[in-house]
Amino acid sequence: MNIYDFKNCVYKGDINRDFFIFCLKRNKKLLKFALINVVLYLLSFFSKKAEIKYNKKRFNYFKELNNINKLVNDFKASNDQKINDAFNEIYKKGDLIIAKYPDILVKDFLKSKNYIAYKIDKNGYIVNDLNINEKVVNNEKIVINSNLHDDYLKLFKNNDIYLCKKNLLIKVKNYKYKLQLLKKTIYYLSFLLIPLFITLMSFIYANPVVDMKIISTYFQDIKLFMLNYIPIMLIYLILVFISKRIYFGFGFLSFLILLLGIINQTKLIYRDDFFIFEDILLFKEAALMATKYEIFIAWYTIFFVIIIILGIFYLKKVFKIISITLIPRALLSIILIFISIFVYKNVLTNEKIYNSVGDLTVVNRWIATRQYQIRGFVYPFIYTSRSFIKTPPEGYDEGKAKKLLSDYSYVNIEDNQKVNIIAIMLEAFNDFSKFDTVEFNEDIYAPLHKIQEESYYGSLIVNVFGGGTINTERAFLTGYNIFPNFRKSTNSYPRYFKDQGYIVEAMHPVYGAFYNRNTGNLNMGFDFYYNYENTFSKKSNEFLMDWDFYDYIIDGYEKAVSKNKPYFNFSVTYQNHGPYNTILNEGNEIIVDLDSNESTEAMVNNYFNGIKETNLALEKLVDYFDKQNEPVVIIFFGDHNPFLGDKNVGFSAMGIDLSLNSLESFENYYSTPYVIHANEAAKKTLNKDFIGHGNTISPMFLMNEFFDYVGWKGNEYLQYTSDLKKEVDVIHKMYYKSQGDYILTTDFNNKQIISNFNYVNYYWAFENLGDRK
């Protein structure tokens, strides 16, 4: 006796599918069963219950069929040609046929009554299991189609088996043994190879484009490779043991890494900024970026999507559910979770380990984004989650921090010296007229230079380029170099002004959730944070440009004056935020003879058109406050240089050196202007002329520069950092500036002064929170 599978061996194809389509053509209402079964089939990938439900209900359309016997006869008449000729030739009386279809559908296609099929009830539900009498295994020859379930193969032990494929009978010796050995080999290898595939895929997304020079370094350092591979493997194993499905672990993790990788590449292309862990919480910022930037999807992303989908289907077919009982599976999952926590705390977020990997010779080590890229994608992404964990600086001693601050006492501002303070951080603002290689058709910086002549002004050395606005912003507002996450009450300079009786307000014409400002600004002590949702959307559907935005600053000031309260306003502008249009309207040419292509010329000129408008708006704002009888000090500064294209093509076209190979190029890269301007009433109140050139400083010292100039003391932390500024007034990852000289951080001798500052910074930011008076 031979054994045949009805599908393909007897009937070419899937008879249930063909019969359903046959019936659907006669009754369109059956379409609902197709939709239901498709949904159940897709859910079956993720739920055992859905899989059972799908298998039970896949024939339930039978209940809607009228005169089913006639339908089956008509179907057979039109599908007789699908009977396999090879089957008819070899079929012998007494051979067994296994049909995983309803009995009523297959019986008319068979000459023999020696078959096993499903019995279904009036609702189309299966009411029996397919069982094979073990007596059939005593025969010398067994013919079986490869579609049969493995449980059937177990019955055949070591018999020779003939596979029926594509009308051919192929004899396979010891088929069961070989099949099981192959499946077990693939099964165990999958636990290593699937995480390996996902790791290799993640490497592609560490850079804006495929950079084999950098990618090759990931394989040259086994430690770096394992730092990317191990977290993927651990997450994969946890997903597999929890879900019991290999295909689920593969599919979920692959698509997750793919999604994060696409986000990273898009952010790198438009902002030259790596996607860090904290960005996950910036939902609204991500939504806005999706509308303003075109999501970057490379050709290989489509390739990976196809591979992942095919992999899911293959793994679901080959390894349906892992055969581990609940208790061992639960224990394995718990052990893996504890291992993952240990690896995360002691390895993946370890600063020494992080600094010990990555080939700095293939990138510019002083560009923060490159520091991430040389370490892969998954590992540096996980490492950045340290920002959510209180990680004291190396050698931190709270007692020492307290002692360093104990030399200072909180000092109030005298009532007769309180002036209104308007602080504005200008988006992507710099004075490009300082570069000899840049020639303008018109003097767009004339308003700025006029204000500077009547002000105290200087330069900042910021820590970011082309993005990272929040770093400069919060350095100015707090004086910190090590930042908390601002998710609870935090010491800051706005809080000091609030304690002094000021109305303290923040403004930014974009979404309040950007960089968590909705929460962070209030936790720094601001009375109110005006943003797009609660204020500026009433003026326009677009984010306000400076000319209109400054009117709100004036309005806030006037309301404070009407309440007879001093006013502190900190505003962040949006105008000049990238990307800059690569199409230039006629008549908007501002810069002369750019050595570049048309799109780069348009990008650069459109940036300077925005700067022109910003300077005019500043002139209007300063003119307004200069006419006020109330004392007002205006502090404005640039947050960072603009991002002018991949590889800084805009700067190259202007002949500006950003190589970071010299002190000059370092300043070109990181320097922005600041201006401290006072009206006549403020000059009289503070007895200062506010004229002159100030120090070149880090943003964290800008408030100190103002306080020191006017003779205010401030809180303990501000006094401490003012004394620190006398020794070191630029603290940067590349250089320190001490006593007027720039010194590479690696060559700086007085490292203890930096350590002490880090201790005090950490204590004031993390350990000593809340209102202080």
Side-chain angles (χ1 to χ4, degrees):
M1 181 179 65
N2 299 328
I3 303 175
Y4 298 91
D5 186 6
F6 182 85
K7 182 178 180 181
N8 291 331
C9 277
V10 179
Y11 181 92
K12 298 176 184 177
D14 188 332
I15 194 172
N16 179 59
R17 178 194 61 203
D18 294 345
F19 183 64
F20 177 79
I21 294 172
F22 177 84
C23 296
L24 181 63
K25 290 177 180 178
R26 289 154 178 78
N27 183 1
K28 303 300 182 185
K29 292 182 179 179
L30 295 180
L31 182 61
K32 64 182 180 182
F33 294 101
L35 297 175
I36 292 170
N37 284 339
V38 166
V39 172
L40 288 173
Y41 177 71
L42 293 175
L43 290 175
S44 71
F45 280 81
F46 311 101
S47 166
K48 181 62 178 175
K49 288 183 178 179
E51 185 177 6
I52 294 171
K53 202 169 185 179
Y54 167 72
N55 289 328
K56 183 179 179 181
K57 287 191 170 185
R58 57 198 171 105
F59 304 118
N60 61 350
Y61 69 93
F62 272 70
K63 67 183 178 181
E64 297 289 331
L65 302 180
N66 296 320
N67 199 353
I68 190 169
N69 290 322
K70 183 178 183 308
L71 279 172
V72 172
N73 287 332
D74 291 345
F75 173 73
K76 180 180 182 301
S78 61
N79 287 273
D80 258 344
Q81 75 279 6
K82 289 196 173 183
I83 294 296
N84 195 334
D85 292 336
F87 166 75
N88 285 328
E89 291 175 6
I90 64 174
Y91 175 77
K92 296 177 182 179
K93 186 177 181 180
D95 284 351
L96 177 65
I97 297 162
I98 301 171
K100 291 179 279 187
Y101 300 105
D103 172 86
I104 193 172
L105 182 57
V106 302
K107 64 181 180 179
D108 288 346
F109 282 85
L110 301 173
K111 298 176 182 178
S112 170
K113 299 298 182 183
N114 193 24
Y115 67 89
I116 300 174
Y118 287 129
K119 303 292 183 183
I120 58 174
D121 62 17
K122 63 180 181 179
N123 292 316
Y125 294 166
I126 297 170
V127 295
N128 70 312
D129 293 324
L130 299 184
N131 296 305
I132 302 176
N133 191 317
E134 290 194 16
K135 293 179 181 179
V136 302
V137 303
N138 296 323
N139 294 279
E140 295 180 359
K141 175 185 175 186
I142 297 172
V143 177
I144 188 169
N145 182 270
S146 60
N147 288 322
L148 280 179
H149 195 278
D150 291 344
D151 289 344
Y152 295 142
L153 295 178
K154 292 176 184 177
L155 298 174
F156 303 144
K157 299 183 180 176
N158 291 323
N159 296 71
D160 292 342
I161 297 176
Y162 287 75
L163 293 182
C164 183
K165 282 192 172 183
K166 297 181 180 178
N167 303 332
L168 298 175
L169 297 178
I170 305 170
K171 184 175 179 179
V172 182
K173 286 281 188 181
N174 298 322
Y175 174 75
K176 172 180 174 290
Y177 171 76
K178 290 182 178 180
L179 180 69
Q180 296 302 321
L181 179 61
L182 177 62
K183 288 190 68 174
K184 283 185 178 180
T185 302
I186 297 173
Y187 176 78
Y188 290 119
L189 281 177
S190 71
F191 290 102
L192 298 174
L193 296 181
I194 288 176
L196 178 62
F197 166 78
I198 299 173
T199 302
L200 297 177
M201 181 179 71
S202 74
F203 287 156
I204 301 294
Y205 294 92
N207 301 280
V209 294
V210 178
D211 190 329
M212 293 309 301
K213 185 177 180 181
I214 295 179
I215 291 174
S216 64
T217 65
Y218 304 153
F219 301 95
Q220 295 167 11
D221 185 345
I222 186 63
K223 182 164 69 170
L224 174 59
F225 182 87
M226 296 305 292
L227 287 166
N228 282 274
Y229 175 76
I230 287 173
I232 288 176
M233 184 180 69
L234 288 171
I235 295 171
Y236 168 73
L237 292 176
I238 291 170
L239 289 172
V240 168
F241 286 124
I242 289 176
S243 69
K244 299 200 302 183
R245 290 163 173 81
I246 288 177
Y247 67 84
F248 175 77
F250 168 72
F252 182 87
L253 189 55
S254 294
F255 278 121
L256 176 62
I257 296 300
L258 200 62
L259 174 63
L260 297 178
I262 292 170
I263 295 171
N264 187 52
Q265 281 194 327
T266 301
K267 199 174 179 196
L268 284 168
I269 286 171
Y270 290 109
R271 300 279 296 277
D272 196 24
D273 190 21
F274 200 83
F275 182 59
I276 64 173
F277 196 85
E278 190 173 2
D279 291 338
I280 293 174
L281 300 179
L282 306 178
F283 299 110
K284 288 195 175 180
E285 183 178 40
L288 176 70
M289 291 306 163
T291 62
K292 299 193 72 66
Y293 299 104
E294 183 179 348
I295 303 299
F296 179 74
I297 299 179
W299 65 267
Y300 46 80
T301 298
I302 305 299
F303 171 76
F304 283 134
V305 169
I306 294 171
I307 292 297
I308 293 167
I309 292 173
L310 291 175
I312 290 172
F313 279 96
Y314 174 78
L315 292 171
K316 186 180 190 305
K317 183 177 180 180
V318 177
F319 309 117
K320 293 197 172 183
I321 298 178
I322 59 173
S323 55
I324 303 178
T325 56
L326 178 61
I327 294 177
R329 190 163 53 86
L331 288 174
L332 281 171
S333 300
I334 292 169
I335 291 171
L336 284 168
I337 290 171
F338 276 107
I339 291 174
S340 299
I341 293 171
F342 175 83
V343 170
Y344 172 78
K345 287 185 174 181
N346 296 279
V347 179
L348 298 177
T349 56
N350 185 292
E351 186 175 6
K352 286 185 177 179
I353 293 175
Y354 183 80
N355 291 330
S356 70
V357 296
D359 188 351
L360 290 168
T361 64
V362 296
V363 296
N364 190 319
R365 64 185 299 168
W366 303 113
I367 301 176
T369 299
R370 309 296 174 264
Q371 293 276 356
Y372 295 121
Q373 290 172 282
I374 60 171
R375 294 176 169 91
F377 173 54
V378 172
Y379 171 48
F381 176 77
I382 293 173
Y383 179 79
T384 59
S385 66
R386 294 170 78 248
S387 61
F388 290 94
I389 304 171
K390 285 171 51 175
T391 307
E394 187 175 352
Y396 174 69
D397 183 343
E398 182 178 335
K400 186 172 185 178
K402 288 181 178 179
K403 187 175 186 305
L404 289 167
L405 282 172
S406 67
D407 294 335
Y408 306 95
S409 299
Y410 186 96
V411 178
N412 294 308
I413 302 171
E414 297 294 333
D415 288 340
N416 62 0
Q417 284 219 317
K418 290 178 180 177
V419 298
N420 300 286
I421 300 169
I422 308 296
I424 305 172
M425 187 173 74
L426 304 169
E427 172 63 35
F429 186 82
N430 203 349
D431 183 0
F432 281 81
S433 68
K434 66 186 177 182
F435 297 110
D436 295 335
T437 57
V438 182
E439 183 180 352
F440 296 96
N441 286 325
E442 57 180 298
D443 190 0
I444 64 171
Y445 287 102
L448 172 66
H449 296 155
K450 180 177 179 295
I451 296 169
Q452 287 176 327
E453 289 173 4
E454 302 169 351
S455 306
Y456 181 86
Y457 67 98
S459 297
L460 297 180
I461 300 295
V462 300
N463 284 301
V464 290
F465 176 87
T469 293
I470 199 67
N471 185 285
T472 305
E473 174 180 339
R474 287 180 173 163
F476 168 70
L477 291 174
T478 63
Y480 296 156
N481 192 40
I482 302 172
F483 299 105
N485 59 22
F486 297 97
R487 297 185 182 279
K488 55 185 176 180
S489 184
T490 306
N491 284 318
S492 71
Y493 298 142
R495 187 173 300 283
Y496 173 78
F497 284 114
K498 183 176 183 176
D499 293 344
Q500 296 303 303
Y502 278 69
I503 292 176
V504 182
E505 294 181 337
M507 295 182 178
H508 191 25
V510 301
Y511 297 124
F514 270 29
Y515 294 111
N516 193 37
R517 287 190 182 98
N518 269 338
T519 300
N521 282 347
L522 296 181
N523 283 330
M524 280 189 281
F526 284 104
D527 296 313
F528 197 78
Y529 171 41
Y530 297 89
N531 54 63
Y532 179 79
E533 293 96 331
N534 63 27
T535 303
F536 303 113
S537 59
K538 299 169 188 175
K539 172 77 173 179
S540 172
N541 291 330
E542 302 291 333
F543 296 145
L544 292 186
M545 297 296 102
D546 294 349
W547 189 272
D548 293 321
F549 177 50
Y550 291 164
D551 290 342
Y552 286 85
I553 299 175
I554 292 171
D555 184 60
Y557 157 78
E558 290 177 345
K559 287 178 180 176
V561 169
S562 69
K563 296 176 182 177
N564 199 29
K565 289 270 195 176
Y567 186 55
F568 176 84
N569 177 293
F570 175 73
S571 293
V572 179
T573 68
Y574 174 77
Q575 185 159 340
N576 306 315
H577 195 291
Y580 312 108
N581 202 324
T582 53
I583 298 174
L584 185 65
N585 293 328
E586 187 175 350
N588 285 346
E589 296 83 359
I590 287 181
I591 194 166
V592 178
D593 297 332
L594 277 177
D595 182 20
S596 186
N597 58 42
E598 189 174 318
S599 63
T600 299
E601 290 180 2
M603 173 181 62
V604 172
N605 275 287
N606 281 321
Y607 165 73
F608 282 120
N609 273 285
I611 292 296
K612 174 183 176 180
E613 294 175 4
T614 289
N615 282 318
L616 292 172
L618 282 171
E619 184 178 47
K620 180 188 82 165
L621 185 75
V622 170
D623 285 346
Y624 169 82
F625 282 114
D626 277 351
K627 295 173 183 176
Q628 298 304 301
N629 294 324
E630 295 293 326
V632 179
V633 172
I634 305 171
I635 304 172
F636 63 86
F637 56 96
D639 58 352
H640 54 70
N641 263 309
F643 179 67
L644 295 177
D646 189 31
K647 298 182 180 178
N648 300 316
V649 291
F651 287 89
S652 298
M654 290 186 283
I656 300 172
D657 179 14
L658 295 185
S659 65
L660 293 177
N661 292 327
S662 65
L663 181 57
E664 179 185 6
S665 65
F666 165 77
E667 290 186 313
N668 292 347
Y669 200 97
Y670 288 111
S671 177
T672 65
Y674 72 83
V675 175
I676 304 176
H677 179 85
N679 66 6
E680 287 302 319
K683 291 177 181 179
K684 290 179 182 178
T685 299
L686 297 170
N687 195 27
K688 291 288 181 179
D689 61 9
F690 284 88
I691 301 291
H693 203 284
N695 299 301
T696 296
I697 54 176
S698 289
M700 71 185 76
F701 294 126
L702 182 53
M703 193 67 78
N704 301 87
E705 189 77 5
F706 168 60
F707 269 60
D708 293 345
Y709 181 77
V710 302
W712 290 355
K713 294 294 185 183
N715 58 31
E716 302 93 320
Y717 181 80
L718 197 150
Q719 293 174 57
Y720 170 82
T721 52
S722 284
D723 282 346
L724 170 67
K725 185 168 74 75
K726 295 172 185 175
E727 299 295 327
V728 183
D729 54 7
V730 169
I731 296 178
H732 191 276
K733 55 184 174 289
M734 188 172 178
Y735 282 102
Y736 297 132
K737 185 163 76 69
S738 178
Q739 306 298 318
D741 295 323
Y742 284 99
I743 305 168
L744 284 169
T745 55
T746 53
D747 298 335
F748 190 65
N749 292 325
N750 193 4
K751 288 187 170 57
Q752 189 58 53
I753 195 172
I754 302 298
S755 295
N756 288 346
F757 168 54
N758 288 336
Y759 301 159
V760 172
N761 180 163
Y762 184 84
Y763 170 71
W764 197 256
F766 291 88
E767 307 289 356
N768 184 32
L769 309 178
D771 293 328
R772 298 183 51 77
K773 293 185 180 179

